[in-house]
Amino acid sequence: MYRRRSRAICHADDQAVTANTEKDLQKILDETSKVLKEYGMKINIKKTKVMKIERQPSTTKITVDGEILQQVEEFKYLGSILSSSGCSENDIRVRIGMVKRVFNKEELGIEKNGRGMS
C-alpha cells in the first residue's frame, strides 16, 4: 500500500513543502490554495519556487491557480543553500567564506588595537 509522505517546514512567513512525487506536491499546493482562498488569502506566485531534487535534472510543471511556478536549481532557506542535485558544496563554500571574513576582521581588529583576542 502506498502512503503519501509530505512535510511542511515553517518559519515565520517562510514555508518549505516537500513531497515524494510531483503529483503529491501538486495536490498539496492545490489544497493549500483552496484553504487560503477561504480566508481571503492566496499563494504569492512570484515568491513561490519549485525545486526538484534528483540525480538527473528534469523539468517540472507545478502550478498554482493555473500558473506554472518557476523551477530553480538552488535556493536559500533559513541561511542554508539547498541544491537540486542534493549536494552541499555551494553551501559549504559560502559558509567557509563567511568564516574567513569573520577571521579577517578579527585579525584587522587585533592589528589596529595592538591587543590579543580575549
Side-chain angles (χ1 to χ4, degrees):
M1 184 170 127
Y2 173 76
R3 240 174 73 182
R4 183 174 77 173
R5 291 190 50 179
S6 62
R7 292 187 178 92
I9 304 164
C10 305
H11 183 266
D13 63 346
D14 292 333
Q15 181 172 339
V17 178
T18 64
N20 286 342
T21 67
E22 288 181 49
K23 184 178 177 181
D24 286 347
L25 181 59
Q26 185 63 64
K27 186 173 181 179
I28 292 166
L29 288 174
D30 290 344
E31 291 170 1
T32 301
S33 182
K34 180 182 173 186
V35 170
L36 287 173
K37 284 179 185 176
E38 291 172 7
Y39 291 92
M41 298 182 284
K42 65 180 184 173
I43 296 172
N44 186 331
I45 295 169
K46 291 179 182 176
K47 290 185 176 183
T48 304
K49 311 292 183 225
V50 175
M51 185 173 71
K52 188 174 184 178
I53 299 175
E54 61 184 353
R55 289 189 177 121
Q56 297 298 321
S58 66
T59 58
T60 184
K61 293 197 180 334
I62 301 295
T63 63
V64 171
D65 298 329
E67 290 192 50
I68 297 174
L69 297 177
Q70 179 187 358
Q71 184 173 350
V72 296
E73 297 298 315
E74 65 180 31
F75 73 95
K76 198 172 204 176
Y77 185 73
L78 299 179
S80 293
I81 298 172
L82 305 173
S83 169
S84 63
S85 67
C87 297
S88 302
E89 285 105 8
N90 287 344
D91 191 41
I92 292 168
R93 279 191 211 110
V94 167
R95 290 178 184 274
I96 289 171
M98 290 166 47
V99 170
K100 283 182 179 179
R101 284 192 294 280
V102 168
F103 280 126
N104 287 338
K105 284 182 183 179
E106 290 295 327
E107 284 180 17
L108 291 173
I110 291 169
E111 289 176 15
K112 285 181 180 179
N113 298 328
R115 296 182 275 153
M117 293 173 54
S118 48

